[in-house]
Amino acid sequence: MRSPSPSSTWYARQKRRRASPFFRLLDRSFGFRVLVAAVLSFGLLALVNRFENCHAQAGQADCLTSNVLEIISIGTVESFSIVTAAIFYLLEAGQRKEKEHHEMFELLLTQGQAGASNSLGRLRALEMFSADGIWQDGFDLEGSDLEGLRIPFSRWRGANFCNTVLRNADCRGADLAQSDFRRSDLSGANLRGADLRGANFTGAILHQADLRGALVEGAQFRGAQLSRTLSDGPLPGLEDGSETDAG
């Protein structure tokens, strides 16, 4: 599976959006969003009206320009309000997404401070950040139960996964350089093509983990359990002569 382009993530698109004066004003001004929604609603209803008018008049030459303002009537107020509200809802999608990110980040901080180890909410938050291109370099997830976590092609440089359960996690192509996996359980984890340079796997359980194609320069695997671990060759930082299954 190919890595998604960094420019295609939600966060990258939002950065490009904020570079536009129009979209900056759209994000900051409630009144401007209402105005834009009303204009677009009027244009859409006018287009529908013109289509009906031209269809009824069998394509007469003046069907596109005659009675342009006839859509402004008591009968169209309800339609205009509904369409305007729908467009306004779409225009506020970015604000709702940012609010959701803020709530998820607060959840991660609160659960970390409370010492909670098992939470589906934490899994959802981490996977959402990963999918949206919001990287959490140096984030502390020590002692968490993250079994089945799905964060392929994301970036968590220098993150603390010490004593963390990551059984069957999907970390394909992820940037985990300098991260701490000491005594973590990565049984069955998919680390294929991941950047693990400088990562510390001392005492970690890597039973049946897949490290093929991973960058492991400078990584440490002292005392790691490597039974049936798949890799492209010997792993660095081994003191006990442990071997992995190349393939």
mmCIF file of all heavy atoms in Angstrom, residues 36-76:
data_model
loop_
_atom_site.group_PDB
_atom_site.id
_atom_site.type_symbol
_atom_site.label_atom_id
_atom_site.label_comp_id
_atom_site.label_asym_id
_atom_site.label_seq_id
_atom_site.Cartn_x
_atom_site.Cartn_y
_atom_site.Cartn_z
ATOM 1 N N VAL A 36 -22.403 34.385 2.209
ATOM 2 C CA VAL A 36 -21.979 33.463 1.149
ATOM 3 C C VAL A 36 -23.016 32.361 0.958
ATOM 4 O O VAL A 36 -23.364 32.001 -0.173
ATOM 5 C CB VAL A 36 -20.599 32.868 1.479
ATOM 6 C CG1 VAL A 36 -20.255 31.742 0.508
ATOM 7 C CG2 VAL A 36 -19.524 33.948 1.426
ATOM 8 N N ALA A 37 -23.527 31.829 2.071
ATOM 9 C CA ALA A 37 -24.536 30.775 1.982
ATOM 10 C C ALA A 37 -25.797 31.281 1.290
ATOM 11 O O ALA A 37 -26.402 30.575 0.462
ATOM 12 C CB ALA A 37 -24.877 30.252 3.378
ATOM 13 N N ALA A 38 -26.208 32.528 1.609
ATOM 14 C CA ALA A 38 -27.404 33.099 0.998
ATOM 15 C C ALA A 38 -27.210 33.319 -0.497
ATOM 16 O O ALA A 38 -28.108 33.021 -1.308
ATOM 17 C CB ALA A 38 -27.766 34.411 1.685
ATOM 18 N N VAL A 39 -26.036 33.838 -0.885
ATOM 19 C CA VAL A 39 -25.752 34.076 -2.303
ATOM 20 C C VAL A 39 -25.727 32.766 -3.080
ATOM 21 O O VAL A 39 -26.308 32.660 -4.172
ATOM 22 C CB VAL A 39 -24.417 34.829 -2.456
ATOM 23 C CG1 VAL A 39 -23.996 34.878 -3.927
ATOM 24 C CG2 VAL A 39 -24.531 36.242 -1.906
ATOM 25 N N LEU A 40 -25.072 31.756 -2.523
ATOM 26 C CA LEU A 40 -25.014 30.465 -3.203
ATOM 27 C C LEU A 40 -26.393 29.826 -3.290
ATOM 28 O O LEU A 40 -26.737 29.207 -4.303
ATOM 29 C CB LEU A 40 -24.050 29.534 -2.458
ATOM 30 C CG LEU A 40 -22.565 29.896 -2.527
ATOM 31 C CD1 LEU A 40 -21.745 28.937 -1.671
ATOM 32 C CD2 LEU A 40 -22.062 29.868 -3.967
ATOM 33 N N SER A 41 -27.179 29.984 -2.234
ATOM 34 C CA SER A 41 -28.536 29.439 -2.238
ATOM 35 C C SER A 41 -29.380 30.110 -3.316
ATOM 36 O O SER A 41 -30.103 29.446 -4.070
ATOM 37 C CB SER A 41 -29.179 29.632 -0.857
ATOM 38 O OG SER A 41 -30.512 29.185 -0.862
ATOM 39 N N PHE A 42 -29.291 31.451 -3.388
ATOM 40 C CA PHE A 42 -30.040 32.182 -4.409
ATOM 41 C C PHE A 42 -29.614 31.734 -5.804
ATOM 42 O O PHE A 42 -30.449 31.519 -6.692
ATOM 43 C CB PHE A 42 -29.823 33.681 -4.248
ATOM 44 C CG PHE A 42 -30.562 34.519 -5.250
ATOM 45 C CD1 PHE A 42 -31.891 34.864 -5.042
ATOM 46 C CD2 PHE A 42 -29.932 34.951 -6.412
ATOM 47 C CE1 PHE A 42 -32.583 35.633 -5.969
ATOM 48 C CE2 PHE A 42 -30.622 35.709 -7.345
ATOM 49 C CZ PHE A 42 -31.952 36.058 -7.121
ATOM 50 N N GLY A 43 -28.299 31.599 -6.006
ATOM 51 C CA GLY A 43 -27.809 31.175 -7.311
ATOM 52 C C GLY A 43 -28.293 29.788 -7.693
ATOM 53 O O GLY A 43 -28.668 29.534 -8.842
ATOM 54 N N LEU A 44 -28.300 28.864 -6.703
ATOM 55 C CA LEU A 44 -28.747 27.499 -6.980
ATOM 56 C C LEU A 44 -30.229 27.466 -7.317
ATOM 57 O O LEU A 44 -30.647 26.807 -8.280
ATOM 58 C CB LEU A 44 -28.458 26.617 -5.759
ATOM 59 C CG LEU A 44 -28.857 25.145 -5.888
ATOM 60 C CD1 LEU A 44 -28.103 24.492 -7.034
ATOM 61 C CD2 LEU A 44 -28.575 24.396 -4.587
ATOM 62 N N LEU A 45 -31.038 28.192 -6.525
ATOM 63 C CA LEU A 45 -32.471 28.225 -6.802
ATOM 64 C C LEU A 45 -32.761 28.906 -8.137
ATOM 65 O O LEU A 45 -33.683 28.514 -8.865
ATOM 66 C CB LEU A 45 -33.200 28.939 -5.669
ATOM 67 C CG LEU A 45 -33.240 28.193 -4.323
ATOM 68 C CD1 LEU A 45 -33.906 29.040 -3.264
ATOM 69 C CD2 LEU A 45 -33.947 26.858 -4.466
ATOM 70 N N ALA A 46 -31.988 29.954 -8.455
ATOM 71 C CA ALA A 46 -32.166 30.627 -9.744
ATOM 72 C C ALA A 46 -31.845 29.688 -10.893
ATOM 73 O O ALA A 46 -32.522 29.681 -11.931
ATOM 74 C CB ALA A 46 -31.285 31.870 -9.803
ATOM 75 N N LEU A 47 -30.817 28.869 -10.722
ATOM 76 C CA LEU A 47 -30.439 27.913 -11.758
ATOM 77 C C LEU A 47 -31.541 26.877 -11.970
ATOM 78 O O LEU A 47 -31.884 26.549 -13.117
ATOM 79 C CB LEU A 47 -29.136 27.217 -11.364
ATOM 80 C CG LEU A 47 -28.578 26.186 -12.349
ATOM 81 C CD1 LEU A 47 -28.212 26.876 -13.662
ATOM 82 C CD2 LEU A 47 -27.356 25.494 -11.759
ATOM 83 N N VAL A 48 -32.095 26.383 -10.867
ATOM 84 C CA VAL A 48 -33.192 25.418 -10.981
ATOM 85 C C VAL A 48 -34.398 26.055 -11.651
ATOM 86 O O VAL A 48 -35.052 25.462 -12.516
ATOM 87 C CB VAL A 48 -33.575 24.879 -9.581
ATOM 88 C CG1 VAL A 48 -34.835 24.020 -9.660
ATOM 89 C CG2 VAL A 48 -32.424 24.072 -8.989
ATOM 90 N N ASN A 49 -34.690 27.301 -11.250
ATOM 91 C CA ASN A 49 -35.820 28.018 -11.839
ATOM 92 C C ASN A 49 -35.629 28.223 -13.332
ATOM 93 O O ASN A 49 -36.568 28.060 -14.132
ATOM 94 C CB ASN A 49 -35.984 29.363 -11.137
ATOM 95 C CG ASN A 49 -37.118 30.191 -11.721
ATOM 96 O OD1 ASN A 49 -36.903 30.987 -12.624
ATOM 97 N ND2 ASN A 49 -38.325 29.997 -11.192
ATOM 98 N N ARG A 50 -34.416 28.609 -13.729
ATOM 99 C CA ARG A 50 -34.136 28.810 -15.161
ATOM 100 C C ARG A 50 -34.288 27.512 -15.937
ATOM 101 O O ARG A 50 -34.788 27.498 -17.061
ATOM 102 C CB ARG A 50 -32.724 29.352 -15.349
ATOM 103 C CG ARG A 50 -32.474 30.769 -14.894
ATOM 104 C CD ARG A 50 -33.381 31.772 -15.582
ATOM 105 N NE ARG A 50 -34.645 31.938 -14.861
ATOM 106 C CZ ARG A 50 -35.767 32.385 -15.382
ATOM 107 N NH1 ARG A 50 -35.821 32.711 -16.647
ATOM 108 N NH2 ARG A 50 -36.847 32.516 -14.654
ATOM 109 N N PHE A 51 -33.849 26.407 -15.332
ATOM 110 C CA PHE A 51 -33.971 25.111 -16.015
ATOM 111 C C PHE A 51 -35.438 24.777 -16.250
ATOM 112 O O PHE A 51 -35.832 24.368 -17.352
ATOM 113 C CB PHE A 51 -33.301 24.019 -15.188
ATOM 114 C CG PHE A 51 -33.504 22.640 -15.751
ATOM 115 C CD1 PHE A 51 -32.735 22.195 -16.810
ATOM 116 C CD2 PHE A 51 -34.475 21.799 -15.222
ATOM 117 C CE1 PHE A 51 -32.928 20.919 -17.336
ATOM 118 C CE2 PHE A 51 -34.672 20.532 -15.742
ATOM 119 C CZ PHE A 51 -33.902 20.096 -16.807
ATOM 120 N N GLU A 52 -36.251 24.975 -15.215
ATOM 121 C CA GLU A 52 -37.672 24.692 -15.353
ATOM 122 C C GLU A 52 -38.320 25.635 -16.377
ATOM 123 O O GLU A 52 -39.166 25.228 -17.162
ATOM 124 C CB GLU A 52 -38.370 24.829 -13.998
ATOM 125 C CG GLU A 52 -37.947 23.759 -12.997
ATOM 126 C CD GLU A 52 -38.625 23.941 -11.652
ATOM 127 O OE1 GLU A 52 -39.221 25.017 -11.428
ATOM 128 O OE2 GLU A 52 -38.556 23.010 -10.820
ATOM 129 N N ASN A 53 -37.902 26.909 -16.346
ATOM 130 C CA ASN A 53 -38.468 27.903 -17.260
ATOM 131 C C ASN A 53 -38.136 27.571 -18.708
ATOM 132 O O ASN A 53 -38.992 27.608 -19.595
ATOM 133 C CB ASN A 53 -37.948 29.290 -16.887
ATOM 134 C CG ASN A 53 -38.642 30.403 -17.661
ATOM 135 O OD1 ASN A 53 -39.847 30.347 -17.873
ATOM 136 N ND2 ASN A 53 -37.868 31.395 -18.080
ATOM 137 N N CYS A 54 -36.879 27.248 -18.943
ATOM 138 C CA CYS A 54 -36.447 26.930 -20.311
ATOM 139 C C CYS A 54 -37.070 25.630 -20.799
ATOM 140 O O CYS A 54 -37.406 25.479 -21.975
ATOM 141 C CB CYS A 54 -34.925 26.845 -20.381
ATOM 142 S SG CYS A 54 -34.094 28.437 -20.167
ATOM 143 N N HIS A 55 -37.195 24.665 -19.881
ATOM 144 C CA HIS A 55 -37.797 23.385 -20.264
ATOM 145 C C HIS A 55 -39.260 23.587 -20.662
ATOM 146 O O HIS A 55 -39.731 23.001 -21.636
ATOM 147 C CB HIS A 55 -37.701 22.400 -19.099
ATOM 148 C CG HIS A 55 -38.263 21.049 -19.415
ATOM 149 N ND1 HIS A 55 -37.620 20.152 -20.234
ATOM 150 C CD2 HIS A 55 -39.428 20.442 -19.018
ATOM 151 C CE1 HIS A 55 -38.348 19.055 -20.336
ATOM 152 N NE2 HIS A 55 -39.453 19.204 -19.605
ATOM 153 N N ALA A 56 -39.953 24.443 -19.897
ATOM 154 C CA ALA A 56 -41.366 24.689 -20.184
ATOM 155 C C ALA A 56 -41.547 25.457 -21.485
ATOM 156 O O ALA A 56 -42.542 25.285 -22.195
ATOM 157 C CB ALA A 56 -42.007 25.448 -19.024
ATOM 158 N N GLN A 57 -40.585 26.345 -21.811
ATOM 159 C CA GLN A 57 -40.699 27.173 -23.006
ATOM 160 C C GLN A 57 -39.988 26.562 -24.210
ATOM 161 O O GLN A 57 -39.765 27.233 -25.212
ATOM 162 C CB GLN A 57 -40.141 28.572 -22.740
ATOM 163 C CG GLN A 57 -40.900 29.331 -21.668
ATOM 164 C CD GLN A 57 -40.388 30.739 -21.499
ATOM 165 O OE1 GLN A 57 -39.887 31.338 -22.439
ATOM 166 N NE2 GLN A 57 -40.513 31.278 -20.298
ATOM 167 N N ALA A 58 -39.623 25.296 -24.092
ATOM 168 C CA ALA A 58 -39.008 24.555 -25.208
ATOM 169 C C ALA A 58 -37.791 25.269 -25.775
ATOM 170 O O ALA A 58 -37.584 25.348 -26.980
ATOM 171 C CB ALA A 58 -40.038 24.305 -26.308
ATOM 172 N N GLY A 59 -36.971 25.870 -24.883
ATOM 173 C CA GLY A 59 -35.707 26.448 -25.305
ATOM 174 C C GLY A 59 -35.803 27.750 -26.044
ATOM 175 O O GLY A 59 -35.012 28.007 -26.955
ATOM 176 N N GLN A 60 -36.782 28.588 -25.718
ATOM 177 C CA GLN A 60 -36.867 29.895 -26.358
ATOM 178 C C GLN A 60 -35.632 30.727 -26.055
ATOM 179 O O GLN A 60 -35.013 30.575 -25.017
ATOM 180 C CB GLN A 60 -38.123 30.634 -25.891
ATOM 181 C CG GLN A 60 -39.424 29.979 -26.371
ATOM 182 C CD GLN A 60 -40.639 30.763 -25.947
ATOM 183 O OE1 GLN A 60 -40.516 31.915 -25.533
ATOM 184 N NE2 GLN A 60 -41.817 30.154 -26.067
ATOM 185 N N ALA A 61 -35.301 31.645 -26.936
ATOM 186 C CA ALA A 61 -34.046 32.395 -26.843
ATOM 187 C C ALA A 61 -33.937 33.204 -25.563
ATOM 188 O O ALA A 61 -32.838 33.391 -25.029
ATOM 189 C CB ALA A 61 -33.908 33.313 -28.057
ATOM 190 N N ASP A 62 -35.064 33.735 -25.048
ATOM 191 C CA ASP A 62 -34.991 34.598 -23.880
ATOM 192 C C ASP A 62 -35.308 33.869 -22.575
ATOM 193 O O ASP A 62 -35.498 34.506 -21.541
ATOM 194 C CB ASP A 62 -35.962 35.774 -24.038
ATOM 195 C CG ASP A 62 -37.425 35.301 -24.121
ATOM 196 O OD1 ASP A 62 -37.622 34.085 -24.361
ATOM 197 O OD2 ASP A 62 -38.319 36.142 -23.954
ATOM 198 N N CYS A 63 -35.343 32.565 -22.594
ATOM 199 C CA CYS A 63 -35.751 31.824 -21.390
ATOM 200 C C CYS A 63 -34.746 31.956 -20.261
ATOM 201 O O CYS A 63 -35.095 31.818 -19.095
ATOM 202 C CB CYS A 63 -35.997 30.358 -21.714
ATOM 203 S SG CYS A 63 -34.484 29.426 -22.104
ATOM 204 N N LEU A 64 -33.477 32.200 -20.579
ATOM 205 C CA LEU A 64 -32.456 32.295 -19.544
ATOM 206 C C LEU A 64 -32.436 33.665 -18.874
ATOM 207 O O LEU A 64 -31.881 33.813 -17.784
ATOM 208 C CB LEU A 64 -31.071 31.991 -20.133
ATOM 209 C CG LEU A 64 -30.829 30.546 -20.578
ATOM 210 C CD1 LEU A 64 -29.466 30.438 -21.245
ATOM 211 C CD2 LEU A 64 -30.920 29.593 -19.395
ATOM 212 N N THR A 65 -33.006 34.664 -19.502
ATOM 213 C CA THR A 65 -32.918 36.021 -18.961
ATOM 214 C C THR A 65 -34.250 36.592 -18.506
ATOM 215 O O THR A 65 -34.279 37.602 -17.816
ATOM 216 C CB THR A 65 -32.313 36.959 -20.019
ATOM 217 O OG1 THR A 65 -33.117 36.922 -21.196
ATOM 218 C CG2 THR A 65 -30.890 36.543 -20.352
ATOM 219 N N SER A 66 -35.333 35.978 -18.883
ATOM 220 C CA SER A 66 -36.642 36.516 -18.514
ATOM 221 C C SER A 66 -37.024 36.129 -17.098
ATOM 222 O O SER A 66 -36.748 35.015 -16.644
ATOM 223 C CB SER A 66 -37.711 35.988 -19.490
ATOM 224 O OG SER A 66 -37.786 34.574 -19.407
ATOM 225 N N ASN A 67 -37.654 37.092 -16.395
ATOM 226 C CA ASN A 67 -38.174 36.851 -15.048
ATOM 227 C C ASN A 67 -37.143 36.242 -14.095
ATOM 228 O O ASN A 67 -37.407 35.266 -13.406
ATOM 229 C CB ASN A 67 -39.404 35.933 -15.118
ATOM 230 C CG ASN A 67 -40.514 36.524 -15.959
ATOM 231 O OD1 ASN A 67 -40.723 37.742 -15.936
ATOM 232 N ND2 ASN A 67 -41.201 35.673 -16.713
ATOM 233 N N VAL A 68 -35.949 36.835 -14.071
ATOM 234 C CA VAL A 68 -34.872 36.288 -13.244
ATOM 235 C C VAL A 68 -35.229 36.333 -11.767
ATOM 236 O O VAL A 68 -34.867 35.442 -10.994
ATOM 237 C CB VAL A 68 -33.562 37.074 -13.497
ATOM 238 C CG1 VAL A 68 -32.473 36.620 -12.533
ATOM 239 C CG2 VAL A 68 -33.112 36.878 -14.933
ATOM 240 N N LEU A 69 -35.956 37.371 -11.351
ATOM 241 C CA LEU A 69 -36.253 37.555 -9.932
ATOM 242 C C LEU A 69 -37.558 36.895 -9.500
ATOM 243 O O LEU A 69 -38.009 37.115 -8.378
ATOM 244 C CB LEU A 69 -36.303 39.057 -9.608
ATOM 245 C CG LEU A 69 -34.999 39.830 -9.830
ATOM 246 C CD1 LEU A 69 -35.209 41.305 -9.503
ATOM 247 C CD2 LEU A 69 -33.870 39.241 -9.006
ATOM 248 N N GLU A 70 -38.136 36.084 -10.349
ATOM 249 C CA GLU A 70 -39.414 35.479 -9.981
ATOM 250 C C GLU A 70 -39.270 34.424 -8.888
ATOM 251 O O GLU A 70 -40.269 34.006 -8.306
ATOM 252 C CB GLU A 70 -40.077 34.868 -11.214
ATOM 253 C CG GLU A 70 -39.372 33.635 -11.758
ATOM 254 C CD GLU A 70 -40.059 33.093 -13.013
ATOM 255 O OE1 GLU A 70 -40.913 33.785 -13.582
ATOM 256 O OE2 GLU A 70 -39.729 31.966 -13.396
ATOM 257 N N ILE A 71 -38.052 34.022 -8.584
ATOM 258 C CA ILE A 71 -37.879 33.040 -7.503
ATOM 259 C C ILE A 71 -38.071 33.690 -6.143
ATOM 260 O O ILE A 71 -38.231 33.000 -5.139
ATOM 261 C CB ILE A 71 -36.490 32.379 -7.567
ATOM 262 C CG1 ILE A 71 -35.387 33.391 -7.291
ATOM 263 C CG2 ILE A 71 -36.263 31.669 -8.865
ATOM 264 C CD1 ILE A 71 -34.031 32.749 -7.092
ATOM 265 N N ILE A 72 -38.050 35.050 -6.095
ATOM 266 C CA ILE A 72 -38.268 35.737 -4.828
ATOM 267 C C ILE A 72 -39.770 35.860 -4.605
ATOM 268 O O ILE A 72 -40.428 36.772 -5.113
ATOM 269 C CB ILE A 72 -37.606 37.128 -4.820
ATOM 270 C CG1 ILE A 72 -36.121 37.010 -5.121
ATOM 271 C CG2 ILE A 72 -37.829 37.810 -3.479
ATOM 272 C CD1 ILE A 72 -35.409 38.333 -5.195
ATOM 273 N N SER A 73 -40.308 34.920 -3.891
ATOM 274 C CA SER A 73 -41.734 34.894 -3.628
ATOM 275 C C SER A 73 -41.983 34.169 -2.320
ATOM 276 O O SER A 73 -41.106 33.490 -1.781
ATOM 277 C CB SER A 73 -42.484 34.201 -4.775
ATOM 278 O OG SER A 73 -42.102 32.839 -4.849
ATOM 279 N N ILE A 74 -43.207 34.299 -1.802
ATOM 280 C CA ILE A 74 -43.559 33.628 -0.551
ATOM 281 C C ILE A 74 -43.382 32.120 -0.669
ATOM 282 O O ILE A 74 -42.939 31.453 0.255
ATOM 283 C CB ILE A 74 -45.014 33.958 -0.157
ATOM 284 C CG1 ILE A 74 -45.180 35.463 0.074
ATOM 285 C CG2 ILE A 74 -45.418 33.181 1.086
ATOM 286 C CD1 ILE A 74 -44.331 35.995 1.206
ATOM 287 N N GLY A 75 -43.678 31.593 -1.849
ATOM 288 C CA GLY A 75 -43.604 30.149 -2.044
ATOM 289 C C GLY A 75 -42.198 29.591 -2.005
ATOM 290 O O GLY A 75 -42.010 28.393 -1.790
ATOM 291 N N THR A 76 -41.204 30.436 -2.238
ATOM 292 C CA THR A 76 -39.822 29.935 -2.266
ATOM 293 C C THR A 76 -39.044 30.244 -0.991
ATOM 294 O O THR A 76 -37.879 29.868 -0.888
ATOM 295 C CB THR A 76 -39.067 30.560 -3.461
ATOM 296 O OG1 THR A 76 -39.067 31.991 -3.319
ATOM 297 C CG2 THR A 76 -39.710 30.168 -4.775
#
